[in-house]
Amino acid sequence: MAAAASASVRAAMPAGQITVNGRSYKPPRRPTVAICVDGFDPAYLQQGLKDGILPNMAQFVRHGFAATARGVMPSFTNPNNTSILTGTVPAVHGISGNYYLDRRTGKEVMITDASALRCETILGRLSQAGVRVAGVTAKDKLREIIGYRMKDGIVFSSQKAKDATLANAGIDNVEALVGRKTPDQYDPDLSYFVLDAGARLIERRAADLLYLSLSDVIQHSYAPGEPEANAFMTEIDRRIGRLVELNAVVGVTGDHGMNDKSRPDGTPNVIWLEDVLNARFGAGAVRVICPITDPFVRHHGALGSFVRVYLRGDQSRIAAMMATTRALDGVELVLTGAEAARRFETPPEYEGDFTVVANTHVVIGSSAVLHDLSGLKGRRLRSHGGLSEQHMPFLLSEPLTPAYAAKARRTEVRNFDVYDYLLNGIAAA
Ligand code: ZN
Ligand code: ZN
């Protein structure tokens, strides 16, 4: 097959280690790919292995390396993708939600660019050192963070594939590259397109270090073992196999897990926290911010298991408000903003006056009138954001060096260690 020819990277690769945010990385000696399967709950892997539908990931488990890793809190897309890209925690990189309240302006802001990013990324830094890099994301909201300070790199989203030009993406004619049209934002092809584009870039020898980030639309809608979920995982696995055929070193992890957040009758299990606190403490007493809010609302209605509460006016009631919140059925943890920043390693200025985390099967909304749940179309709500969605698989196509095998036994594996393990921890890389 044509694949075998693309084994080596170009000759002008930099020698030595490159330091990014206090960690050092060896330049790739073979095409190296980190994949972030969005919403990759460990249950999808377990179920898929049990059902025998994931032959390539099964191969990683048997002959490469497999662990269950922990991501960063809150267990949302932007903080975790940014951690994987920077190799560090939100307190360093600056992104602790998809959506936040800017205390200085009082405005609510959706993160769709890199303006909140406050450190270098691994792809950006390695590209400046001469490594040829590429990032492909399902969700366009991550494109600017992935492409941050990239030199001569390629970066585009499948969501807006048709808009990619040499000037804005380092590549044009992406639809021709992949061989089909730009997918709809809620189509599972949004993820397949990303992996197919990655394989094409390696076939063309256009990049040696890649980041491929998928979408969790399917996981929000279907539990492990449901036909739609199994079909999706089968397609992902097949494409991972193609990257291995191309002699790439492949790491597969996720940004967060996913859990069923519905009552037995199928209705969403929601605490409308802004309504509860305003009813108890007076209209307008608090504003509840849901950091899961993003341009993909149809499948989760902006409901996750982590919110930040901002008091309006009288701050003396914070203890009473926290006590009221703590007593609600389904609340797992209530922390002051400062406590949350310390415990979750987030930037303190982006925390609220207090932070609330719901348990495995509960989500927290602001006010019922502000959330549109019609997109669920009667399906059970599945979502993330809490401590219960902090874990994801961490799979490598090849075995670790003895030093890294020892490290993996000694220290907890984090999803944002994936480039460290890929570039420094695999003998054949
Ligand atoms: Zn996600
Ligand atoms: Zn999600």
Side-chain angles (χ1 to χ4, degrees), residues 294-359:
D294 77 355
F296 287 67
V297 292
R298 198 161 91 190
H299 51 293
H300 55 57
L303 289 169
S305 297
F306 181 105
V307 297
R308 298 186 169 113
V309 183
Y310 294 79
L311 274 61
R312 290 202 166 126
D314 187 2
Q315 295 281 321
S316 68
R317 297 183 296 178
I318 186 167
M321 288 180 176
M322 288 174 71
T324 297
T325 305
R326 212 170 265 131
L328 297 170
D329 200 25
V331 167
E332 179 165 354
L333 189 64
V334 182
L335 301 169
T336 65
E339 288 166 347
R342 268 197 305 278
R343 172 160 173 175
F344 300 139
E345 300 177 278
T346 53
E349 61 275 31
Y350 290 144
E351 289 302 327
D353 293 308
F354 65 96
T355 294
V356 187
V357 184
N359 70 26

Short mmCIF file of all heavy atoms in Angstrom, two decimals, residues 294-359:
data_model
loop_
_atom_site.label_atom_id
_atom_site.label_comp_id
_atom_site.label_asym_id
_atom_site.label_seq_id
_atom_site.Cartn_x
_atom_site.Cartn_y
_atom_site.Cartn_z
N ASP A 294 -22.12 27.13 24.57
CA ASP A 294 -21.28 27.27 23.38
C ASP A 294 -22.17 27.33 22.14
O ASP A 294 -23.40 27.30 22.26
CB ASP A 294 -20.21 26.15 23.32
CG ASP A 294 -20.77 24.81 22.87
OD1 ASP A 294 -21.99 24.66 22.68
OD2 ASP A 294 -19.95 23.89 22.70
N PRO A 295 -21.58 27.46 20.96
CA PRO A 295 -22.46 27.58 19.78
C PRO A 295 -23.18 26.27 19.41
O PRO A 295 -23.96 26.25 18.48
CB PRO A 295 -21.48 27.98 18.66
CG PRO A 295 -20.23 28.43 19.34
CD PRO A 295 -20.17 27.66 20.61
N PHE A 296 -22.90 25.17 20.13
CA PHE A 296 -23.53 23.87 19.84
C PHE A 296 -24.55 23.57 20.94
O PHE A 296 -24.32 22.74 21.79
CB PHE A 296 -22.48 22.75 19.85
CG PHE A 296 -21.55 22.72 18.68
CD1 PHE A 296 -20.63 23.75 18.48
CD2 PHE A 296 -21.57 21.66 17.78
CE1 PHE A 296 -19.76 23.72 17.41
CE2 PHE A 296 -20.69 21.63 16.71
CZ PHE A 296 -19.79 22.66 16.51
N VAL A 297 -25.67 24.27 20.93
CA VAL A 297 -26.58 24.13 22.08
C VAL A 297 -27.65 23.06 21.91
O VAL A 297 -28.25 22.63 22.88
CB VAL A 297 -27.31 25.45 22.41
CG1 VAL A 297 -26.32 26.47 22.93
CG2 VAL A 297 -28.02 25.99 21.18
N ARG A 298 -27.86 22.62 20.67
CA ARG A 298 -29.05 21.82 20.39
C ARG A 298 -29.10 20.55 21.24
O ARG A 298 -30.16 20.15 21.71
CB ARG A 298 -29.07 21.45 18.91
CG ARG A 298 -30.42 21.02 18.44
CD ARG A 298 -30.50 21.11 16.94
NE ARG A 298 -30.10 19.87 16.31
CZ ARG A 298 -29.89 19.75 15.01
NH1 ARG A 298 -30.01 20.80 14.21
NH2 ARG A 298 -29.54 18.60 14.49
N HIS A 299 -27.95 19.92 21.46
CA HIS A 299 -27.94 18.61 22.11
C HIS A 299 -27.78 18.66 23.62
O HIS A 299 -27.88 17.66 24.27
CB HIS A 299 -26.84 17.74 21.49
CG HIS A 299 -25.51 18.43 21.46
ND1 HIS A 299 -25.28 19.53 20.68
CD2 HIS A 299 -24.38 18.19 22.12
CE1 HIS A 299 -24.03 19.93 20.85
NE2 HIS A 299 -23.47 19.14 21.72
N HIS A 300 -27.50 19.83 24.21
CA HIS A 300 -27.40 19.85 25.67
C HIS A 300 -28.13 21.04 26.30
O HIS A 300 -28.20 21.12 27.53
CB HIS A 300 -25.95 19.78 26.16
CG HIS A 300 -25.04 20.84 25.60
ND1 HIS A 300 -25.28 22.18 25.74
CD2 HIS A 300 -23.88 20.74 24.90
CE1 HIS A 300 -24.30 22.87 25.18
NE2 HIS A 300 -23.45 22.02 24.63
N GLY A 301 -28.68 21.96 25.50
CA GLY A 301 -29.44 23.07 26.07
C GLY A 301 -28.64 23.92 27.03
O GLY A 301 -29.20 24.55 27.93
N ALA A 302 -27.30 23.92 26.87
CA ALA A 302 -26.40 24.69 27.76
C ALA A 302 -26.51 24.23 29.22
O ALA A 302 -26.31 25.01 30.15
CB ALA A 302 -26.63 26.19 27.63
N LEU A 303 -26.80 22.94 29.40
CA LEU A 303 -26.89 22.39 30.76
C LEU A 303 -25.73 21.44 31.02
O LEU A 303 -25.56 20.43 30.33
CB LEU A 303 -28.20 21.64 30.93
CG LEU A 303 -29.46 22.50 30.99
CD1 LEU A 303 -30.71 21.62 30.88
CD2 LEU A 303 -29.48 23.34 32.27
N GLY A 304 -24.92 21.76 32.03
CA GLY A 304 -23.84 20.89 32.46
C GLY A 304 -23.85 20.79 33.97
O GLY A 304 -24.77 21.29 34.63
N SER A 305 -22.84 20.14 34.53
CA SER A 305 -22.84 19.88 35.98
C SER A 305 -21.92 20.80 36.77
O SER A 305 -21.49 20.47 37.86
CB SER A 305 -22.47 18.42 36.24
OG SER A 305 -23.45 17.58 35.66
N PHE A 306 -21.63 21.98 36.20
CA PHE A 306 -20.71 22.93 36.86
C PHE A 306 -21.17 24.34 36.53
O PHE A 306 -21.31 24.68 35.36
CB PHE A 306 -19.29 22.69 36.33
CG PHE A 306 -18.21 23.56 36.92
CD1 PHE A 306 -17.31 23.04 37.84
CD2 PHE A 306 -18.07 24.89 36.52
CE1 PHE A 306 -16.30 23.84 38.37
CE2 PHE A 306 -17.07 25.70 37.05
CZ PHE A 306 -16.17 25.17 37.96
N VAL A 307 -21.44 25.15 37.55
CA VAL A 307 -21.80 26.55 37.30
C VAL A 307 -21.06 27.48 38.28
O VAL A 307 -20.54 27.05 39.31
CB VAL A 307 -23.33 26.82 37.45
CG1 VAL A 307 -24.12 26.03 36.42
CG2 VAL A 307 -23.81 26.53 38.86
N ARG A 308 -21.04 28.74 37.88
CA ARG A 308 -20.45 29.79 38.74
C ARG A 308 -21.56 30.78 39.11
O ARG A 308 -22.34 31.19 38.25
CB ARG A 308 -19.31 30.48 38.01
CG ARG A 308 -18.18 29.51 37.68
CD ARG A 308 -16.97 30.20 37.07
NE ARG A 308 -15.85 29.26 37.03
CZ ARG A 308 -15.31 28.76 35.89
NH1 ARG A 308 -15.78 29.14 34.73
NH2 ARG A 308 -14.32 27.92 35.96
N VAL A 309 -21.62 31.13 40.40
CA VAL A 309 -22.67 32.03 40.89
C VAL A 309 -22.06 33.38 41.26
O VAL A 309 -21.05 33.44 41.95
CB VAL A 309 -23.37 31.42 42.13
CG1 VAL A 309 -24.52 32.32 42.59
CG2 VAL A 309 -23.88 30.01 41.83
N TYR A 310 -22.69 34.44 40.74
CA TYR A 310 -22.24 35.82 41.02
C TYR A 310 -23.33 36.52 41.82
O TYR A 310 -24.48 36.57 41.38
CB TYR A 310 -21.98 36.57 39.72
CG TYR A 310 -20.83 36.00 38.92
CD1 TYR A 310 -21.00 34.85 38.14
CD2 TYR A 310 -19.57 36.58 38.99
CE1 TYR A 310 -19.95 34.31 37.43
CE2 TYR A 310 -18.50 36.04 38.28
CZ TYR A 310 -18.69 34.91 37.50
OH TYR A 310 -17.64 34.38 36.82
N LEU A 311 -22.95 37.07 42.98
CA LEU A 311 -23.91 37.81 43.80
C LEU A 311 -24.06 39.21 43.23
O LEU A 311 -23.07 39.83 42.82
CB LEU A 311 -23.43 37.91 45.25
CG LEU A 311 -23.79 36.73 46.15
CD1 LEU A 311 -23.19 35.44 45.63
CD2 LEU A 311 -23.36 37.00 47.57
N ARG A 312 -25.28 39.71 43.24
CA ARG A 312 -25.50 41.09 42.84
C ARG A 312 -25.78 41.88 44.11
O ARG A 312 -26.73 41.57 44.83
CB ARG A 312 -26.69 41.18 41.91
CG ARG A 312 -26.39 40.55 40.56
CD ARG A 312 -27.34 41.13 39.54
NE ARG A 312 -26.89 40.81 38.19
CZ ARG A 312 -27.66 40.22 37.29
NH1 ARG A 312 -28.89 39.89 37.60
NH2 ARG A 312 -27.21 40.00 36.08
N GLY A 313 -24.94 42.86 44.39
CA GLY A 313 -25.17 43.67 45.59
C GLY A 313 -24.66 42.97 46.85
O GLY A 313 -23.54 42.47 46.87
N ASP A 314 -25.49 42.89 47.86
CA ASP A 314 -25.14 42.44 49.21
C ASP A 314 -24.33 41.13 49.26
O ASP A 314 -24.87 40.05 49.07
CB ASP A 314 -26.46 42.27 49.99
CG ASP A 314 -26.22 41.98 51.46
OD1 ASP A 314 -25.02 41.94 51.87
OD2 ASP A 314 -27.21 41.79 52.19
N GLN A 315 -23.03 41.27 49.56
CA GLN A 315 -22.14 40.11 49.59
C GLN A 315 -22.23 39.36 50.92
O GLN A 315 -21.71 38.26 51.05
CB GLN A 315 -20.68 40.55 49.38
CG GLN A 315 -20.38 41.15 48.01
CD GLN A 315 -20.22 40.10 46.92
OE1 GLN A 315 -19.64 39.05 47.15
NE2 GLN A 315 -20.74 40.37 45.73
N SER A 316 -22.89 39.97 51.92
CA SER A 316 -22.89 39.37 53.26
C SER A 316 -23.71 38.08 53.30
O SER A 316 -23.61 37.30 54.22
CB SER A 316 -23.44 40.36 54.29
OG SER A 316 -24.84 40.56 54.04
N ARG A 317 -24.52 37.85 52.27
CA ARG A 317 -25.39 36.67 52.29
C ARG A 317 -24.75 35.45 51.63
O ARG A 317 -25.41 34.42 51.47
CB ARG A 317 -26.72 37.00 51.59
CG ARG A 317 -27.49 38.10 52.33
CD ARG A 317 -28.82 38.37 51.70
NE ARG A 317 -28.66 38.88 50.34
CZ ARG A 317 -29.67 39.16 49.53
NH1 ARG A 317 -30.92 38.96 49.94
NH2 ARG A 317 -29.47 39.63 48.32
N ILE A 318 -23.48 35.56 51.26
CA ILE A 318 -22.86 34.46 50.51
C ILE A 318 -22.89 33.14 51.29
O ILE A 318 -23.18 32.09 50.73
CB ILE A 318 -21.43 34.82 50.03
CG1 ILE A 318 -20.89 33.70 49.13
CG2 ILE A 318 -20.47 35.09 51.19
CD1 ILE A 318 -19.64 34.06 48.35
N ALA A 319 -22.62 33.21 52.60
CA ALA A 319 -22.60 31.96 53.39
C ALA A 319 -23.98 31.31 53.40
O ALA A 319 -24.12 30.09 53.24
CB ALA A 319 -22.11 32.24 54.80
N ALA A 320 -25.01 32.14 53.55
CA ALA A 320 -26.38 31.62 53.56
C ALA A 320 -26.75 31.03 52.20
O ALA A 320 -27.39 29.98 52.11
CB ALA A 320 -27.36 32.73 53.94
N MET A 321 -26.32 31.70 51.13
CA MET A 321 -26.61 31.20 49.79
C MET A 321 -25.90 29.87 49.53
O MET A 321 -26.46 28.96 48.93
CB MET A 321 -26.19 32.22 48.74
CG MET A 321 -27.08 33.44 48.70
SD MET A 321 -26.47 34.58 47.44
CE MET A 321 -27.75 35.85 47.52
N MET A 322 -24.64 29.79 49.97
CA MET A 322 -23.89 28.55 49.78
C MET A 322 -24.54 27.42 50.57
O MET A 322 -24.63 26.28 50.09
CB MET A 322 -22.42 28.74 50.16
CG MET A 322 -21.65 29.60 49.16
SD MET A 322 -19.94 29.98 49.68
CE MET A 322 -19.15 28.38 49.50
N ALA A 323 -25.01 27.72 51.78
CA ALA A 323 -25.65 26.69 52.61
C ALA A 323 -26.95 26.21 51.96
O ALA A 323 -27.23 25.00 51.91
CB ALA A 323 -25.91 27.24 54.01
N THR A 324 -27.72 27.15 51.43
CA THR A 324 -28.97 26.79 50.73
C THR A 324 -28.66 25.87 49.54
O THR A 324 -29.33 24.86 49.31
CB THR A 324 -29.68 28.07 50.23
OG1 THR A 324 -30.04 28.85 51.35
CG2 THR A 324 -30.93 27.72 49.42
N THR A 325 -27.60 26.24 48.79
CA THR A 325 -27.23 25.46 47.61
C THR A 325 -26.77 24.06 48.00
O THR A 325 -27.13 23.06 47.37
CB THR A 325 -26.12 26.20 46.83
OG1 THR A 325 -26.58 27.53 46.54
CG2 THR A 325 -25.77 25.48 45.55
N ARG A 326 -25.94 24.02 49.06
CA ARG A 326 -25.40 22.73 49.52
C ARG A 326 -26.51 21.75 49.91
O ARG A 326 -26.36 20.54 49.77
CB ARG A 326 -24.48 23.00 50.70
CG ARG A 326 -23.31 22.08 50.84
CD ARG A 326 -22.32 22.59 51.90
NE ARG A 326 -21.25 23.38 51.32
CZ ARG A 326 -20.85 24.57 51.75
NH1 ARG A 326 -21.47 25.15 52.78
NH2 ARG A 326 -19.86 25.20 51.17
N ALA A 327 -27.62 22.31 50.38
CA ALA A 327 -28.71 21.46 50.87
C ALA A 327 -29.59 20.91 49.73
O ALA A 327 -30.46 20.07 49.97
CB ALA A 327 -29.57 22.26 51.85
N LEU A 328 -29.36 21.39 48.50
CA LEU A 328 -30.21 20.94 47.40
C LEU A 328 -29.85 19.52 46.99
O LEU A 328 -28.67 19.16 46.91
CB LEU A 328 -30.04 21.87 46.18
CG LEU A 328 -30.46 23.33 46.38
CD1 LEU A 328 -30.01 24.17 45.18
CD2 LEU A 328 -31.97 23.44 46.60
N ASP A 329 -30.88 18.75 46.71
CA ASP A 329 -30.69 17.37 46.26
C ASP A 329 -29.96 17.36 44.92
O ASP A 329 -30.37 18.06 43.99
CB ASP A 329 -32.08 16.74 46.11
CG ASP A 329 -32.00 15.23 46.14
OD1 ASP A 329 -31.02 14.70 46.72
OD2 ASP A 329 -32.90 14.58 45.57
N GLY A 330 -28.86 16.62 44.82
CA GLY A 330 -28.13 16.54 43.56
C GLY A 330 -26.88 17.40 43.51
O GLY A 330 -26.09 17.30 42.57
N VAL A 331 -26.69 18.26 44.53
CA VAL A 331 -25.47 19.08 44.58
C VAL A 331 -24.36 18.28 45.25
O VAL A 331 -24.54 17.73 46.33
CB VAL A 331 -25.73 20.40 45.34
CG1 VAL A 331 -24.41 21.10 45.67
CG2 VAL A 331 -26.62 21.31 44.51
N GLU A 332 -23.21 18.20 44.58
CA GLU A 332 -22.09 17.42 45.11
C GLU A 332 -21.10 18.29 45.88
O GLU A 332 -20.53 17.86 46.87
CB GLU A 332 -21.37 16.71 43.96
CG GLU A 332 -20.17 15.88 44.41
CD GLU A 332 -19.69 14.90 43.35
OE1 GLU A 332 -20.32 14.77 42.29
OE2 GLU A 332 -18.64 14.27 43.61
N LEU A 333 -20.88 19.53 45.39
CA LEU A 333 -19.80 20.33 45.96
C LEU A 333 -20.13 21.81 45.78
O LEU A 333 -20.58 22.23 44.72
CB LEU A 333 -18.52 19.99 45.18
CG LEU A 333 -17.19 20.51 45.66
CD1 LEU A 333 -16.84 19.92 47.03
CD2 LEU A 333 -16.10 20.14 44.65
N VAL A 334 -19.91 22.58 46.86
CA VAL A 334 -20.05 24.04 46.78
C VAL A 334 -18.79 24.65 47.36
O VAL A 334 -18.40 24.34 48.49
CB VAL A 334 -21.29 24.52 47.58
CG1 VAL A 334 -21.45 26.04 47.46
CG2 VAL A 334 -22.56 23.82 47.12
N LEU A 335 -18.13 25.49 46.59
CA LEU A 335 -16.86 26.10 47.01
C LEU A 335 -16.91 27.60 46.75
O LEU A 335 -17.56 28.04 45.79
CB LEU A 335 -15.69 25.53 46.18
CG LEU A 335 -15.44 24.03 46.22
CD1 LEU A 335 -14.43 23.65 45.13
CD2 LEU A 335 -14.92 23.61 47.59
N THR A 336 -16.21 28.38 47.56
CA THR A 336 -16.06 29.79 47.19
C THR A 336 -15.21 29.86 45.92
O THR A 336 -14.50 28.89 45.59
CB THR A 336 -15.34 30.60 48.29
OG1 THR A 336 -13.99 30.11 48.41
CG2 THR A 336 -16.05 30.50 49.63
N GLY A 337 -15.25 30.98 45.23
CA GLY A 337 -14.45 31.14 44.01
C GLY A 337 -12.97 30.88 44.28
O GLY A 337 -12.30 30.21 43.49
N ALA A 338 -12.47 31.40 45.41
CA ALA A 338 -11.05 31.23 45.74
C ALA A 338 -10.73 29.76 45.99
O ALA A 338 -9.70 29.25 45.54
CB ALA A 338 -10.69 32.07 46.96
N GLU A 339 -11.62 29.08 46.70
CA GLU A 339 -11.40 27.64 46.95
C GLU A 339 -11.42 26.85 45.65
O GLU A 339 -10.61 25.93 45.44
CB GLU A 339 -12.50 27.09 47.88
CG GLU A 339 -12.41 27.53 49.32
CD GLU A 339 -13.70 27.23 50.11
OE1 GLU A 339 -14.76 26.90 49.50
OE2 GLU A 339 -13.65 27.35 51.34
N ALA A 340 -12.36 27.21 44.77
CA ALA A 340 -12.46 26.50 43.48
C ALA A 340 -11.19 26.70 42.66
O ALA A 340 -10.67 25.77 42.05
CB ALA A 340 -13.68 26.98 42.70
N ALA A 341 -10.69 27.93 42.63
CA ALA A 341 -9.47 28.24 41.86
C ALA A 341 -8.29 27.42 42.39
O ALA A 341 -7.48 26.91 41.60
CB ALA A 341 -9.16 29.72 41.92
N ARG A 342 -8.19 27.29 43.71
CA ARG A 342 -7.09 26.51 44.29
C ARG A 342 -7.25 25.02 43.98
O ARG A 342 -6.34 24.38 43.50
CB ARG A 342 -7.05 26.69 45.82
CG ARG A 342 -6.14 27.83 46.27
CD ARG A 342 -5.80 27.72 47.76
NE ARG A 342 -6.99 27.64 48.61
CZ ARG A 342 -7.69 28.71 49.00
NH1 ARG A 342 -7.32 29.92 48.62
NH2 ARG A 342 -8.74 28.57 49.78
N ARG A 343 -8.45 24.50 44.24
CA ARG A 343 -8.66 23.07 44.08
C ARG A 343 -8.58 22.64 42.61
O ARG A 343 -8.01 21.61 42.29
CB ARG A 343 -10.02 22.68 44.66
CG ARG A 343 -10.37 21.25 44.36
CD ARG A 343 -11.42 20.71 45.28
NE ARG A 343 -11.82 19.39 44.82
CZ ARG A 343 -12.65 18.61 45.46
NH1 ARG A 343 -13.16 19.00 46.60
NH2 ARG A 343 -12.97 17.43 44.97
N PHE A 344 -9.16 23.42 41.71
CA PHE A 344 -9.22 23.04 40.30
C PHE A 344 -8.11 23.66 39.45
O PHE A 344 -8.06 23.44 38.24
CB PHE A 344 -10.59 23.41 39.71
CG PHE A 344 -11.74 22.73 40.40
CD1 PHE A 344 -12.91 23.43 40.65
CD2 PHE A 344 -11.66 21.40 40.79
CE1 PHE A 344 -13.99 22.82 41.29
CE2 PHE A 344 -12.73 20.78 41.43
CZ PHE A 344 -13.90 21.48 41.68
N GLU A 345 -7.22 24.44 40.08
CA GLU A 345 -6.12 25.09 39.35
C GLU A 345 -6.64 25.90 38.17
O GLU A 345 -6.22 25.74 37.03
CB GLU A 345 -5.08 24.06 38.91
CG GLU A 345 -4.46 23.31 40.08
CD GLU A 345 -3.49 22.24 39.63
OE1 GLU A 345 -3.96 21.13 39.28
OE2 GLU A 345 -2.28 22.51 39.61
N THR A 346 -7.60 26.78 38.48
CA THR A 346 -8.19 27.68 37.47
C THR A 346 -7.78 29.12 37.79
O THR A 346 -7.42 29.43 38.93
CB THR A 346 -9.73 27.57 37.47
OG1 THR A 346 -10.19 27.78 38.81
CG2 THR A 346 -10.19 26.21 36.98
N PRO A 347 -7.87 30.03 36.82
CA PRO A 347 -7.55 31.44 37.10
C PRO A 347 -8.59 32.02 38.07
O PRO A 347 -9.78 32.00 37.76
CB PRO A 347 -7.66 32.13 35.74
CG PRO A 347 -7.71 31.04 34.72
CD PRO A 347 -8.25 29.83 35.40
N PRO A 348 -8.17 32.53 39.24
CA PRO A 348 -9.14 33.00 40.24
C PRO A 348 -10.05 34.10 39.70
O PRO A 348 -11.22 34.17 40.08
CB PRO A 348 -8.26 33.54 41.38
CG PRO A 348 -6.85 33.33 40.99
CD PRO A 348 -6.78 32.65 39.67
N GLU A 349 -9.55 34.94 38.80
CA GLU A 349 -10.38 36.05 38.31
C GLU A 349 -11.54 35.60 37.44
O GLU A 349 -12.46 36.35 37.19
CB GLU A 349 -9.51 37.09 37.59
CG GLU A 349 -8.78 36.60 36.36
CD GLU A 349 -7.43 35.93 36.65
OE1 GLU A 349 -7.28 35.32 37.73
OE2 GLU A 349 -6.56 36.00 35.78
N TYR A 350 -11.51 34.35 36.98
CA TYR A 350 -12.63 33.84 36.19
C TYR A 350 -13.59 33.00 37.03
O TYR A 350 -14.55 32.43 36.50
CB TYR A 350 -12.14 33.01 34.99
CG TYR A 350 -11.49 33.83 33.91
CD1 TYR A 350 -10.41 33.33 33.19
CD2 TYR A 350 -11.97 35.10 33.59
CE1 TYR A 350 -9.81 34.08 32.19
CE2 TYR A 350 -11.37 35.85 32.59
CZ TYR A 350 -10.29 35.34 31.90
OH TYR A 350 -9.71 36.07 30.91
N GLU A 351 -13.31 32.84 38.32
CA GLU A 351 -14.27 32.13 39.18
C GLU A 351 -15.37 33.10 39.61
O GLU A 351 -15.18 34.32 39.61
CB GLU A 351 -13.56 31.55 40.40
CG GLU A 351 -12.66 30.36 40.07
CD GLU A 351 -13.40 29.20 39.40
OE1 GLU A 351 -14.59 28.99 39.70
OE2 GLU A 351 -12.79 28.52 38.55
N GLY A 352 -16.50 32.55 39.98
CA GLY A 352 -17.59 33.37 40.49
C GLY A 352 -17.40 33.63 41.97
O GLY A 352 -16.34 33.35 42.55
N ASP A 353 -18.44 34.15 42.62
CA ASP A 353 -18.37 34.30 44.07
C ASP A 353 -18.41 32.92 44.71
O ASP A 353 -17.76 32.68 45.71
CB ASP A 353 -19.51 35.19 44.56
CG ASP A 353 -19.32 36.61 44.06
OD1 ASP A 353 -18.23 37.17 44.26
OD2 ASP A 353 -20.25 37.14 43.43
N PHE A 354 -19.21 32.03 44.13
CA PHE A 354 -19.07 30.61 44.50
C PHE A 354 -19.36 29.71 43.30
O PHE A 354 -19.94 30.13 42.30
CB PHE A 354 -19.86 30.24 45.76
CG PHE A 354 -21.34 30.33 45.72
CD1 PHE A 354 -22.12 29.20 45.45
CD2 PHE A 354 -22.00 31.53 46.01
CE1 PHE A 354 -23.50 29.25 45.47
CE2 PHE A 354 -23.39 31.61 46.02
CZ PHE A 354 -24.15 30.46 45.74
N THR A 355 -18.87 28.48 43.44
CA THR A 355 -18.89 27.50 42.36
C THR A 355 -19.69 26.30 42.83
O THR A 355 -19.56 25.89 43.99
CB THR A 355 -17.43 27.08 42.04
OG1 THR A 355 -16.76 28.21 41.51
CG2 THR A 355 -17.37 25.93 41.07
N VAL A 356 -20.53 25.75 41.95
CA VAL A 356 -21.38 24.62 42.34
C VAL A 356 -21.19 23.47 41.34
O VAL A 356 -21.25 23.69 40.12
CB VAL A 356 -22.87 25.03 42.39
CG1 VAL A 356 -23.71 23.90 42.96
CG2 VAL A 356 -23.06 26.31 43.19
N VAL A 357 -20.95 22.28 41.87
CA VAL A 357 -20.80 21.09 41.04
C VAL A 357 -21.93 20.12 41.40
O VAL A 357 -22.18 19.85 42.58
CB VAL A 357 -19.43 20.41 41.29
CG1 VAL A 357 -19.24 19.23 40.36
CG2 VAL A 357 -18.28 21.41 41.14
N ALA A 358 -22.61 19.61 40.37
CA ALA A 358 -23.69 18.65 40.61
C ALA A 358 -23.14 17.22 40.54
O ALA A 358 -22.05 16.99 40.01
CB ALA A 358 -24.79 18.83 39.57
N ASN A 359 -23.90 16.27 41.03
CA ASN A 359 -23.43 14.89 41.03
C ASN A 359 -23.65 14.21 39.66
O ASN A 359 -24.13 14.82 38.72
CB ASN A 359 -24.01 14.10 42.21
CG ASN A 359 -25.50 13.84 42.06
OD1 ASN A 359 -26.02 13.80 40.94
ND2 ASN A 359 -26.17 13.65 43.18
#
